[in-house]
Each structure stands twice: as C-alpha cells, then as structure tokens.
Amino acid sequence: MFRTALRNVLAHKARLMMTALAVLLGVAFVSGTLVFSDTVGEAVKKASAKSYQDVAVSVQATSGDAPPIPEDGQNRTTLLTDRLADQVRSLPGVAAVHANVQGRATVADKENQPIGRDWQNVATNYQPGADGKDSRYPVVQGHGPAAAGEIALDQATAEKSGLKLGDTVRFATNGPALHKKLVGIVHSEDPQVTAGGSLALFDTATAQKLFVHPGQYDELVVAAKPGTDEKALTAAVEKLLPKDRATATSGAALAAGQAKMVEQSNQAMSKTLLVFAGIALFVGIFIIANTFTMLISQRSREIALMRAIGASRRQVVRSVLAEAGLLGLVSSVVGFALGTGIAVTMRAVLNANGAGFPDGPLVISPNAVLSALGVGVLVTVLAAWLPSRKAAKIAPVEALNTVDAAPELRGLVVRNTIGAVVTAAGVAIMLYVSTLKDAEDITPAMAGSALTLVGVIILAPLLSRPLVSLAGKVTTRVFGISGKLAKENALRNPRRTAATASALMIGLTLITGMTVAGVSGQRASDEMAAQGLTADYQVSTANFRGLDPELTKKAGQLPGVRAAVPLRSAAFETDGGDGYGSLTGTDLAHLGQVTDLRFVSGSLDAVRDGGVAVSRSRAEKLRWKTGETHEVGFFTGTEKKEKARLKIAGVYEDNATVGDMFGSTALVDPHNKPVKDEKVLVKTVNGPDAGLEKEIRKALGDSPLLKVQDKDALRKENAGSIDTVLNMVYGLLGMAVIIAVVGVVNTLAMSVFERTREIGMLRAIGLARGGIKQMVRLESVVISLFGAVLGIGVGVFLAWAGGKMAAGAMPTYEMILPWDRLGIFLAIALVVGVLAAAWPARRAARLNMLESIGAQ
C-alpha cells in the first residue's frame, strides 16, 4: 500500500502541485518566523552578553524610603558617590571600577528632527583610562570628550544627523536645546544603540551636571581580576552599601536577566507572527481537503478495484494518508528552505528600515526544523483524513461499473444543522459582546468571532445556492450560455464551491474586520483629540516628561499669543480603594479660551473657588455629585499616599482636553516633584501661523523633543499609527489570501480534468474555445465573489459587535464603513477570480475534442 501511495503521488504530480504549493507557503511562513526569531534572539542575546562581558558586579542605587528618583530628570540625587567608588576599588580582587552617569539625550539632525526613540537614546560619561581611552567605546575619529563644551557620538548617529567633527551638535536632555562641539565619533555595541537608538558621550563632570550632582553616579561597574570568585566579590561589595539604599548584582545575574528579557520579547513577536502563520495553514486545510476529495472521486474505480482484490478499508485509509504524508513532507522541506530565505530577507529589510538588529549568524535550530516539518506533515495528513474515510467506503462492486456516472452527493441536512447551531451560538455571543462597555476582557469576543466564522464556513454550501444563483443571473444576462454554464458548474458541487470560497473568505473576514475597526477607531480618536479643543496649538514633548512651567509663561507673553494654558496631572485613589482617577491642574482663568466646557451642574466659577470639576462619565462611575466632598489619596511614587479632600464644584460633559477631572494647578503641584507641564494649549490672536509657531518653539527652548501641533497634525499623528498597524496586518494576512488564490486555481484545474468529456461534448455541439475559456473564468469569478461577499459581510458584523466594547473607552466611537476599501476588496476578489482561472481556462480550451469525448 505504501508503494501504491508513492505511485499515486508520482502519477498525479500536476494535480497535486497546487496543493503542495499551499502547504509550502504555509510552512514557509512558520519556518521563516521561527528561524527569524531564533536568529535575532541569539544575536541580541550575544550582544547583551558581550556588553556584560567585563562586568563582575553592578552597583545601583534604590529609592528605599527616600523620594523617588525621577526618570532622567536633571540633577536627581543618588547615593553612589566618589567615596563609595574608592572603597569598592580598594577591595581584593577588584581590577577596575567604572563610575557611570546614565541619562537620555536626544540628538537633532540638521532639520531639527529627533534621531531615534527617546528610550533608546543613551547618554553617559566617557571614562578614559591610563592610556586616555575608554575601552567600552573605541574612538573611530577624533577623541573622547574632555571638557564641558565637547560631545562624542556613535557612528550611526553621526551619519543619520549628517554631522562631522567640529560641527555643533544640537541635543536635549529634559529641557531646552543644548549645543556642544562634536570632537569624537565612537563605535558602540550597546543593544539599545544598535537597535536604532543613539549614543551621546560627555566628560564625567558635564554628565553629572546634566543628570545627577557633582561627585554622584547612577551605577558602579566593577571589573574583577582573573581568578576572582564573582559571588564572593558581590557579597564583599554588598557589605559596603547602605542598607536598603543600593544593590549589588553579579554580572552573571545581569546577563541572565537580560537574556530572559530578550527571550520574552522574542516570544511575544514570534507568537504574533505564528498566529498569522496558523491562519495561513488553516486556509491551506481547505485546499488540501478539496484536492484529496476530488482525487478520490476521480479514482473511485481504481480504489474499488483495490478493494475487490483484497485491500481492507484500513489499508485504503492508510494509503491515502501515506500519500498525504509524502506530499506534506516534500512540501515542508521545500517550504522550510523558502522560509529560511524569508527570514534572511526579513532581517535585512527591517534593518534597512531602521530596526537595528545586531549582526549575527543565521540560526537554524533543530526545534525550528522539526516544528516546521511536523506542522506541514500534520496539517496535510489531518486535512486528508476525512477524504480517506470517504475512500474507504467505496464498495468493491463499483469496479464492475462501466458507466461513468457523477458521484452521488451526500445530503447537507446534518451539516446545515450543525452549522446553524454553531453560527447561532457565535452570533449570540457577539450580540452579548455588543452590550459590554469594558474592553478589558476580550475572551468572549474572540470566542464569539471564532464560532461565527466556523459556523459560516459550515453553512457555506447552503449559502452558496442563493448567492451563486444571484450572481448567475448576472453572468447569464451579460455573457449568455457561458455565464449560465459557469453558474451551473459552481452549483454542481456546493461542498467544493464552499470549501474553495471559504479559503478566500477567512482572509477577507479578518482583513475587513480589522479595516472597519481600525478606520472607526481612527475617526473616534480624531474626534477625541479635537473634542472640546479650541486652542490653535497643542505643545508637548516626545519623551512625555513635560515642560518647564517658566518656559510656558514666556510662551504666553509672546506677541500674537492670547493665552498659553498649562495642563498637569496627578493620579489618585479614592477613599476605600474602590476607584482611581487623575486630576488635571490648569490655569482656570484662561481655560475657557482653549477648550469648550459644557457644565451639567455647577460652574467654572465654583471651581475657581478651590473645588474640582468632574466629567459626566467619571462622576457616574464614582457616584460623585456636585456639592459633595470626597477624600482621596494621591500617589507619590512610594507606598505612602498623600491624603486630600476634593470638593466637587461641578460636573461637565466629557471633554478629552481636560480629561476626567480638573482643578487649579495649586491642587496638583504639591503632589508632583518636580512640577512639569505635560501639555500646553496655545490660543493665538489670528489663528495658526508658521512664523508664530517658530516663536513658540524658541520661547519653549527650541528643543528637538518639542512637538508643536495644530489640530490637523494631531489627526495625522493618530491616523499614522493606525495605518501602520493596518498595513502590517494586510501584509501578514496577504499570505492567507495568496494561498486562497492557489486553492481557486487548484479547484478549477482539477475540475477541468474531471469534466474533460463534458468539455469535449460542449466543443462538439458548437461552443468555441473562447466560450470554454469564458465559462471557466466566470466560474472562478463567481466562486471568488461568493467568498468575498461572505468574508466582507462576516467581517463587518464582527467589527460592529466588537466595536461596541470600544465605545466604553472611546465615547466618540461609531462604526464607519470605509466603502472605498470594501470596494477595493471586492475588486481584488474579481481580479483573483480572473487570474486564478487563467491557466485552467487555457488548459480547458486546448483539450482535443475527440480525445476528450473518449476520455474515461
């Protein structure tokens, strides 16, 4: 039976080619993801380990009961001093101690645009040894910074900014723009820098002035002499540290922690990609099952003959599964090779677009090989299991049948009943989901979406009759007999038509759902960003660390500026811990000029008397009413909370500009250290003006971190992030659509082979070659459009039900149907139908009339 299976694979190479291609593409997606993940993960892990290669012990300060250390705030206080560094140096086994000052510095290019993401923009002190060099940062050009007016950059940052030795570097740490002379360009293997960030080096005194205080450091990095016990040295260092105010960690522990963090990050990315790979393979199941069902139908007499000469049902099943296993194995091997190439290409493309993955060899782990091959073979065998059971039921007597009758189609009553139950369950869950106001638990939505999609797939043969018949009326009217034959062919075997269309439906359901949800969310986000905003500009910082209030005052005094209103916030917990909120502090005297406030009860004047105003939705959630006084605990960064009593002076309609609650800055400032303006709303005399925008930037320090945005810029920023996500989803789901196209080609090609005699008869009674081609093309278009209509319809329904949950977090959310994009999806389905039919239609038209009539 194994030899029979091998013979069948070799005998039907052309018929199985498209099935093999579907498996190949799915496995390529899986293997490419696994190899890419392993390769990048290993490269980052080695880069991280290399950065800790000479670290025996790392000493870092902790906040303890002291006030919290602001993240990269200027002049923060630490407990690591020159005295402590000298004590550590005197310990036995210590070879050297690097006393590091760490911060963030964002360098601007020549267009004053920031380079890299703030959290990746590393700033530290250059610490030359006896030879005048810092071994961590080899100098490529120039020399290391040694004076207050000097700075050194890594090679990539210097290239991106277009700066050369001797140029003035504009950068910002946490305030106005600063300027220093570029005296050196260095090489860095810091993972944050190589992953797309930047590196700025200062002399130690300058770095301390920028980020801490003279004589203080953020970290002491201890290098050990050869043969020193790392654990013993860590324990010795720990004895020198103030209790509960600083920690000593061994280099091995740091490297292990970094490796674990890299692995977790890598796993998250891999899981996301594997979800889409799973979708592609799920689509492939329909193609494989379709192919084997058609092959078995065409070989029914052969299988019956095998049964007649003694083959048991179990042997027939094993033969078909062995055939599927061989097909899956060969396809998986080729798919793995293709996936490896995809992994290499993916890394190169992402690096070219600024991903900054570190260099490293291609990693092909045994786990990746076995997983990819195992998945490919398993999916193919599982998809062929039901067709193999059908093959085993063929009676031996059919071998004696000399009449080529069409295979008897089984009834759809059981399938339709199951499909109706599953679909009803899915729709019921989604209707329940549509009543939810909280999007935190998405499990019901995911379960309901899966059940609805599976139910529609099961019901697809039933749904195909009315939809294909409707499409057939159009094709018949427009294309005559070719259109009518196309409709009849599509309806001849509803299971096959449904399976072929379902493969395309799955991809379009997901794409449509994501598109509708994304566009609707984008519109809601736009409205929320502009909700109640009457200011001409919103000023903020790219690193979200706020602006100096003194600079805000300067901006408000500029000619042409009517008001510059600061927004600060402080988070709190309500009395009893049953609710949380955030109080926005602002300039109540000028607030009415930058936002449109509509009070339900109370008034702005009452708020100016020392009270607070609460949004309608927050007041309902907390059950607060105008005139009440409530005690809250403001978060301070420690376990202790600062108690305060808030008098509710008014309730207003939800307003995204001021958030859930607002009051005077005097209520917020005591709970913020240091005091920073998170945003500044600027109202001008004559509206937005490019010249005035420059003056505002200048007044606020002209930092590359500054974001001065009008309403259009805010909308574009929101739209950009959502479009990026949608484009990524389109790219990842594109593989599933490609596999679905392969399925349409495969079904049509095998259908043409199955109808060889019928096509010969049509040619004999006068249907021209062009009519045969048109018939096959129209059949393909009808099937593709059927899948598209189902996919778009289900996708819109799922987006509507799921979007109702988003309304809780986004009050302005309303489902928007992007008719242009939905039209494009339908057009794509039409093109898919035409292209997929090209080869089968050409093959059908070229069949010899007499040979076709005499075909068995």
Side-chain angles (χ1 to χ4, degrees):
M1 296 304 292
F2 179 78
R3 286 197 300 271
T4 301
L6 181 60
R7 179 187 63 79
N8 283 329
V9 171
L10 296 175
H12 303 113
K13 295 189 291 293
R15 291 187 231 176
L16 292 172
M17 181 178 65
M18 291 298 174
T19 304
L21 185 57
V23 179
L24 183 154
L25 290 173
V27 170
F29 204 155
V30 173
S31 59
T33 297
L34 294 175
V35 172
F36 172 77
S37 181
D38 289 343
T39 299
V40 171
E42 189 64 24
V44 174
K45 198 179 294 184
K46 285 183 177 178
S48 300
K50 191 172 183 180
S51 65
Y52 290 114
Q53 189 173 359
D54 298 324
V55 179
V57 184
S58 171
V59 180
Q60 294 182 334
T62 58
S63 59
D65 294 328
I69 301 172
E71 183 186 357
D72 290 335
Q74 289 185 342
N75 297 320
R76 61 177 181 262
T77 301
T78 75
L79 301 170
L80 307 184
T81 62
D82 284 317
R83 181 170 174 272
L84 180 60
D86 291 337
Q87 288 177 336
V88 174
R89 286 190 185 95
S90 66
L91 290 173
V94 173
V97 174
H98 277 96
N100 297 336
V101 178
Q102 298 171 336
R104 296 278 184 262
T106 299
V107 177
D109 61 18
K110 292 188 175 181
E111 302 297 325
N112 199 31
Q113 295 302 309
I115 294 174
R117 300 180 183 91
D118 176 68
W119 60 272
Q120 290 179 303
N121 295 336
V122 179
T124 187
N125 54 323
Y126 187 81
Q127 301 172 60
D131 59 355
K133 299 178 181 179
D134 189 331
S135 59
R136 301 169 302 167
Y137 306 111
V139 175
V140 178
Q141 296 180 44
H143 60 83
E150 297 179 345
I151 188 174
L153 301 175
D154 66 287
Q155 286 176 287
T157 302
E159 290 173 3
K160 290 175 187 175
S161 61
L163 295 169
K164 298 179 181 179
L165 293 181
D167 288 347
T168 298
V169 179
R170 295 185 73 258
F171 67 97
T173 56
N174 198 29
L178 302 173
H179 303 80
K180 293 188 185 298
K181 182 180 179 181
L182 181 62
V183 297
I185 297 175
V186 303
H187 175 72
S188 172
E189 294 186 357
D190 187 321
Q192 289 189 80
V193 178
T194 57
S198 65
L199 172 68
L201 296 175
F202 307 93
D203 67 282
T204 298
T206 301
Q208 288 174 331
K209 183 179 179 182
L210 287 172
F211 304 113
V212 285
H213 289 281
Q216 295 183 346
Y217 304 94
D218 291 292
E219 181 185 27
L220 302 179
V221 177
V222 183
K225 294 177 181 178
T228 302
D229 186 295
E230 197 172 276
K231 288 185 179 179
L233 182 58
T234 303
V237 171
E238 210 159 27
K239 292 179 181 178
L240 298 175
L241 305 180
K243 190 177 180 181
D244 298 328
R245 306 298 293 277
T247 59
T249 310
S250 67
L254 284 174
Q258 181 77 7
K260 186 176 181 181
M261 189 169 65
V262 168
E263 184 178 356
Q264 290 174 343
S265 174
N266 214 26
Q267 282 179 350
M269 178 178 64
S270 297
K271 286 178 181 177
T272 302
L273 291 174
L274 286 174
V275 166
F276 290 96
I279 293 169
L281 284 170
F282 183 58
V283 170
I285 287 175
F286 291 88
I287 300 169
I288 300 164
N290 231 7
T291 301
F292 277 93
T293 298
M294 296 175 74
L295 280 176
I296 286 163
S297 182
Q298 293 167 16
R299 284 163 29 201
S300 58
R301 185 178 296 178
E302 174 190 326
I303 294 170
L305 184 60
M306 290 171 57
R307 293 278 286 114
I309 61 175
S312 67
R313 290 190 173 188
R314 182 172 295 180
Q315 285 179 312
V316 172
V317 170
R318 287 177 179 173
S319 174
V320 175
L321 293 183
E323 186 178 344
L326 286 170
L327 177 68
L329 182 61
V330 173
S331 304
S332 298
V333 170
V334 179
F336 187 86
L338 177 62
T340 303
I342 289 174
V344 174
T345 305
M346 192 186 306
R347 188 165 100 167
V349 169
L350 290 175
N351 273 339
N353 286 278
F357 295 122
D359 294 330
L362 185 69
V363 177
I364 302 178
S365 66
N367 180 54
V369 176
L370 294 175
S371 297
L373 297 184
V375 165
V377 173
L378 183 64
V379 165
T380 311
V381 170
L382 285 177
W385 182 71
L386 283 176
S388 73
R389 299 263 299 173
K390 181 182 178 183
K393 293 178 181 179
I394 295 175
V397 72
E398 291 190 30
L400 305 176
N401 190 0
T402 58
V403 179
D404 286 328
E408 184 180 349
L409 296 177
R410 290 177 292 140
L412 293 169
V413 176
V414 175
R415 176 169 179 158
N416 291 342
T417 303
I418 295 172
V421 171
V422 174
T423 305
V427 171
I429 292 174
M430 293 309 294
L431 291 176
Y432 163 72
V433 166
S434 70
T435 64
L436 299 178
K437 300 298 183 184
D438 194 345
E440 290 183 5
D441 185 9
I442 63 170
T443 304
M446 293 178 65
S449 299
L451 283 174
T452 303
L453 185 57
V454 170
V456 173
I457 290 171
I458 298 173
L459 283 177
L462 176 65
L463 298 172
S464 68
R465 293 188 181 278
L467 292 177
V468 171
S469 296
L470 181 62
K473 289 182 179 180
V474 177
T475 58
T476 301
R477 182 178 294 274
V478 177
F479 299 100
I481 190 64
S482 296
K484 185 175 182 180
L485 288 171
K487 179 197 76 172
E488 296 299 331
N489 289 335
L491 289 173
R492 180 180 301 182
N493 192 328
R495 292 175 186 271
R496 183 188 303 169
T497 298
T500 306
S502 293
L504 185 60
M505 182 196 79
I506 294 166
L508 284 178
T509 294
L510 298 173
I511 288 174
T512 301
M514 291 295 295
T515 300
V516 173
V519 171
S520 301
Q522 179 179 306
R523 176 73 63 85
S525 181
D526 287 349
E527 290 181 3
M528 283 187 67
Q531 187 184 50
L533 183 65
T534 57
D536 296 307
Y537 293 106
Q538 175 181 290
V539 184
S540 59
T541 58
N543 60 0
F544 305 105
R545 296 194 193 116
L547 296 156
D548 186 342
E550 292 301 317
L551 295 178
T552 302
K553 291 179 182 177
K554 288 183 180 179
Q557 295 168 359
L558 289 173
V561 172
R562 182 176 296 171
V565 179
L567 298 178
R568 308 164 194 167
S569 67
F572 63 81
E573 181 182 59
T574 60
D575 190 24
D578 57 349
Y580 300 89
S582 177
L583 175 63
T584 298
T586 186
D587 177 3
L588 298 176
H590 298 94
L591 181 62
Q593 298 183 47
V594 295
T595 185
D596 180 20
L597 285 170
R598 299 178 182 179
F599 277 84
V600 177
S601 61
S603 65
L604 185 59
D605 289 335
V607 179
R608 292 188 182 112
D609 290 336
V612 299
V614 188
S615 68
R616 182 201 285 267
S617 60
R618 180 58 62 177
E620 289 175 353
K621 190 169 185 178
L622 296 177
R623 297 180 181 177
W624 286 0
K625 296 180 180 179
T626 301
E628 297 179 345
T629 299
H630 295 274
E631 186 173 87
V632 300
F634 283 96
F635 293 98
T636 61
T638 65
E639 292 184 2
K640 293 179 65 176
K641 297 183 180 68
E642 297 175 349
K643 296 290 185 180
R645 295 184 66 80
L646 301 178
K647 181 181 178 182
I648 313 303
V651 175
Y652 57 91
E653 295 288 355
D654 288 7
N655 183 304
T657 303
V658 292
D660 292 333
M661 188 180 306
F662 73 88
S664 70
T665 55
L667 294 175
V668 171
D669 291 352
H671 312 295
N672 284 327
K673 297 176 183 178
V675 175
K676 293 284 185 179
D677 292 334
E678 295 168 13
K679 295 178 183 178
V680 178
L681 304 179
V682 179
K683 184 67 176 179
T684 64
V685 176
N686 299 314
D689 178 78
L692 184 56
E693 181 180 333
K694 290 181 180 179
E695 290 298 320
I696 293 171
R697 283 185 172 277
K698 188 175 179 181
L700 292 170
D702 202 19
S703 166
L705 293 170
L706 271 180
K707 294 166 66 177
V708 181
Q709 299 167 293
D710 58 17
K711 290 182 181 180
D712 287 338
L714 288 171
R715 289 191 180 99
K716 287 178 182 177
E717 185 177 62
N718 292 331
S721 58
I722 293 175
D723 283 342
T724 299
V725 173
L726 284 178
N727 290 334
M728 182 183 70
V729 170
Y730 291 160
L732 292 173
L733 288 176
M735 182 68 77
V737 175
I738 291 171
I739 293 175
V741 173
V742 170
V744 177
V745 176
N746 200 28
T747 299
L748 290 173
M750 297 189 74
S751 179
V752 166
F753 181 86
E754 192 178 73
R755 304 200 309 259
T756 299
R757 178 178 294 180
E758 178 186 319
I759 292 171
M761 292 295 294
L762 288 171
R763 291 278 289 117
I765 62 175
L767 190 60
R769 291 181 187 272
I772 297 292
K773 284 185 178 181
Q774 191 175 72
M775 176 187 72
V776 177
R777 277 198 298 266
L778 290 174
E779 180 183 354
S780 175
V781 167
V782 166
I783 293 173
S784 297
L785 288 177
F786 169 54
V789 169
L790 277 186
I792 292 172
V794 175
V796 168
F797 170 72
L798 296 180
W800 168 80
K804 290 290 185 177
M805 289 196 307
M810 304 175 74
T812 58
Y813 184 90
E814 182 180 349
M815 191 180 81
I816 304 295
L817 288 178
W819 294 109
D820 54 343
R821 299 196 192 189
L822 298 183
I824 290 172
F825 297 159
L826 275 176
I828 289 173
L830 181 64
V831 172
V832 164
V834 173
L835 294 179
W839 176 57
R842 185 168 177 269
R843 184 173 179 272
R846 294 180 66 181
L847 289 173
N848 183 279
M849 186 190 310
L850 295 178
E851 289 178 358
S852 299
I853 293 173
Q856 295 295 325

